[in-house]
Amino acid sequence: MAATPFLQAIAVSKTYLGTTVSGIKSTDLTISKGRITAIIGESGSGKSTLLKLLYGLLSPDTGEVLFKGERIWGPAEKLIPGHNAMKMVTQQTDDLNLYAKVWDNIALMLPHTDLKAEQEKIEKILVQLKMTALSDKQVVNLSGGEKQRVAIARALIGDPEILLLDEPFNQVDTSFREGLQQDIRQIVKDTGLTVIIVSHDPAEVLSMADELLVLKEGEILESGNPKTLYQNPQYLYTARLLTNCTVLTKEEAKICGLKTRANHIVIYPEWIETVKTWGGNNWEIKQVLFKGCYEDMLLERKGITIRVLNDQFGKYKEGKKINLKLKKWLEY
Ligand code: ADP
Ligand code: MG
């Protein structure tokens, strides 16, 4: 007999009243224990709806969600909505007590039966989330990223089996965001926590996720390992979500010397080699944008613009003409 899936949605759908198109269409999915699953999709594709269905904050119109084989109750069936073994963190950190200390905000989530054990637990989570120095600060004085850490500490202190994250790092600056992502990955490794994260940020999902689900208009378009999906997306939609790529029509591709039967050609910035040759330098460098560890170049030829990643700093100047070699492209 096959093992019972950890978290499973079976033919789950949810259409919002008064609309025919928005929500989640009949969806099947399985979430494995101890892994980070990321759900990516454009705004309005149903990411938050799907997360709420998995958590039990919304009742599905059809189908059911099973946690370890048992049906998850919807909000109408339960006094406090949301499954007890799960916790959700969103962009809103409204439920923090602004004028209490970080420590007390976390302690409030515990039952106060064994104070010593409670203290050890809080100390441990503060270390795991690198917040020990914040312990005595009032939440009101924290930065957005620090508040988000408190929210995550509060969610994790009760040892949930699943942590649901709905774009929680949107308001957090990049360096903070990456630190938090690493810490969450480490907690997953150390504790076997299961994380489901919703995001529209490719950098976030690609670096965090073990498994990626691509959502489009309420349906899972494709899913799999982030590296595989990045290198060989089955759909143009996925490529566009995961990287800032160049998409050419068949006609545009022809102008660039690429013959194809497909309707679209997709070229990732790192798949283009730039070369200076004696002849045939027919791409004009329109813009060179410094990005820290690389340059983003926009090249133009006959009205077609291509984005190229360049790590040879200062080699190319705006206004000059160069030649291109394509290492790889995708056809759709
Ligand atoms: P995402 O999180 O991917 O941006 P959502 O799950 O929030 O998408 O929303 C999916 C679609 O459902 C959107 O078109 C949104 O406008 C609509 N929607 C979300 N919540 C409601 C609601 N409570 N009532 C009506 N429509 C809603
Ligand atoms: Mg959302």
Side-chain angles (χ1 to χ4, degrees):
M1 207 180 84
T4 310
F6 187 61
L7 182 67
Q8 189 182 22
I10 304 169
V12 162
S13 74
K14 172 80 197 171
T15 307
Y16 289 110
L17 281 181
T19 64
T20 46
V21 287
S22 67
I24 288 290
K25 292 167 196 159
S26 182
T27 293
D28 294 285
L29 69 87
T30 306
I31 305 281
S32 321
K33 183 175 161 41
R35 288 163 63 87
I36 302 180
T37 303
I39 303 170
I40 191 169
E42 56 191 17
S43 180
S45 57
K47 303 182 294 296
S48 297
T49 304
L50 181 56
L51 209 61
K52 286 180 194 160
L53 287 165
L54 295 175
Y55 186 28
L57 284 190
L58 277 177
S59 296
D61 297 339
T62 65
E64 54 184 7
V65 180
L66 304 178
F67 175 60
K68 296 179 180 172
E70 286 186 18
R71 189 175 70 84
I72 289 188
W73 291 5
E77 302 161 285
K78 213 171 159 283
L79 198 56
I80 303 170
H83 193 281
N84 296 344
M86 307 187 202
K87 276 283 180 303
M88 180 139 127
V89 176
T90 66
Q91 272 178 55
Q92 279 88 38
T93 45
D94 309 340
D95 52 351
L96 297 181
N97 185 341
L98 289 180
Y99 298 98
K101 291 177 182 170
V102 167
W103 179 284
D104 296 328
N105 264 279
I106 301 171
L108 269 172
M109 304 302 285
L110 292 168
H112 300 304
T113 43
D114 180 345
L115 290 182
K116 187 158 181 297
E118 178 170 301
Q119 185 164 354
E120 281 169 10
K121 245 182 132 146
I122 299 175
E123 274 164 9
K124 187 171 162 212
I125 195 80
L126 288 174
V127 170
Q128 280 176 324
L129 287 168
K130 305 204 172 68
M131 296 165 53
T132 312
L134 301 179
S135 170
D136 286 331
K137 285 199 178 175
Q138 274 187 320
V139 169
V140 70
N141 295 321
L142 302 183
S143 72
E146 290 167 339
K147 283 196 190 107
Q148 209 49 274
R149 281 188 185 256
V150 181
I152 290 172
R154 278 166 57 96
L156 291 179
I157 196 72
D159 295 323
E161 294 187 61
I162 304 181
L163 176 67
L164 304 154
L165 300 170
D166 192 346
E167 313 218 25
F169 310 136
N170 271 12
Q171 317 291 341
V172 181
D173 52 80
T174 316
S175 56
F176 237 104
R177 187 192 282 230
E178 282 175 5
L180 249 177
Q181 291 165 0
Q182 285 161 11
D183 294 340
I184 290 172
R185 274 202 72 88
Q186 194 58 46
I187 291 172
V188 167
K189 257 191 219 157
D190 294 344
T191 65
L193 174 72
T194 302
V195 173
I196 308 173
I197 177 168
V198 155
S199 177
H200 64 258
D201 174 11
E204 182 158 286
V205 298
L206 290 172
S207 60
M208 277 193 88
D210 300 304
E211 175 84 11
L212 200 56
L213 304 176
V214 180
L215 207 59
K216 184 184 180 197
E217 292 167 10
E219 275 179 294
I220 296 177
L221 198 60
E222 56 183 320
S223 63
N225 174 284
K227 271 186 210 151
T228 316
L229 280 189
Y230 181 87
Q231 289 298 340
N232 277 305
Q234 228 181 313
Y235 295 91
L236 178 58
Y237 174 86
T238 307
R240 277 196 161 126
L241 276 181
L242 293 182
T243 177
N244 196 347
C245 52
T246 300
V247 181
L248 303 178
T249 61
K250 191 190 296 192
E251 294 72 30
E252 289 170 332
K254 201 171 165 196
I255 296 173
C256 301
L258 285 172
K259 282 212 185 90
T260 177
R261 284 166 192 250
N263 290 322
H264 294 101
I265 291 278
V266 169
I267 310 165
Y268 289 10
E270 68 272 28
W271 290 345
I272 302 171
E273 225 173 279
T274 49
V275 277
K276 279 184 186 165
T277 49
W278 285 109
N281 290 326
N282 40 27
W283 286 91
E284 186 182 344
I285 303 170
K286 283 299 211 188
Q287 273 188 40
V288 182
L289 305 166
F290 180 61
K291 296 279 179 175
C293 52
Y294 65 95
E295 288 174 349
D296 216 356
M297 296 204 298
L298 294 180
L299 308 181
E300 198 188 281
R301 178 183 171 193
K302 295 184 185 167
I304 299 164
T305 304
I306 284 189
R307 179 182 297 275
V308 182
L309 185 152
N310 175 45
D311 56 7
Q312 296 167 289
F313 289 100
K315 181 168 178 187
Y316 300 110
K317 301 268 182 296
E318 286 174 9
K320 289 271 189 293
K321 287 196 162 185
I322 55 171
N323 210 344
L324 300 183
K325 252 195 231 163
L326 278 191
K327 291 187 271 185
K328 177 179 172 179
W329 65 88
L330 300 168
E331 302 189 344
Y332 295 95

